[in-house]
Amino acid sequence: MMLIHCPHCGPRAQEEFTYERTRDSVVQLDQAPDVAMAALYTRTNPRGEENEIWRHTLGCRGWLELRRDRMSHAIVAVHALGVQVLP
């Protein structure tokens, strides 16, 4: 189990969060279809640290960007994305 430090709620168990995708797989609405398809389906799967997008589903429902090591699951950094949404 990972302990994720939410910038809004503090340290919480991984079960409260939902993994969305890696940061490099986010495509812009005005991108060409072939560029968007490449970003979504032909990305590399590197070892080491990567930026990921998570959502605090069972907490503040905020979007977070985590820098996480894929081998050890160690979380290097956590940043809030967008506007915090409270119930």
Side-chain angles (χ1 to χ4, degrees):
M1 177 182 78
M2 290 189 301
L3 188 64
I4 299 174
H5 183 84
C6 176
H8 309 292
C9 306
R12 298 288 193 261
Q14 172 189 351
E15 287 81 16
E16 290 190 18
F17 297 85
T18 304
Y19 171 82
E20 286 296 324
R21 64 181 65 212
T22 58
R23 183 74 162 149
D24 65 347
S25 68
V26 176
V27 296
Q28 301 299 322
L29 294 175
D30 60 350
Q31 278 184 328
D34 57 333
V35 174
M37 293 298 282
L40 290 171
Y41 297 110
T42 60
R43 296 177 294 113
T44 60
N45 191 13
R47 293 182 180 197
E49 293 181 5
E50 178 130 44
N51 292 333
E52 302 172 335
I53 298 174
W54 290 66
R55 184 158 188 191
H56 194 177
T57 313
L58 300 178
C60 65
R61 293 186 275 176
W63 292 93
L64 308 174
E65 181 175 350
L66 274 67
R67 180 131 184 103
R68 184 176 67 92
D69 188 300
R70 291 180 162 205
M71 297 298 292
S72 66
H73 298 291
I75 298 172
V76 178
V78 179
H79 303 283
L81 293 175
V83 179
Q84 178 185 4
V85 179
L86 295 174

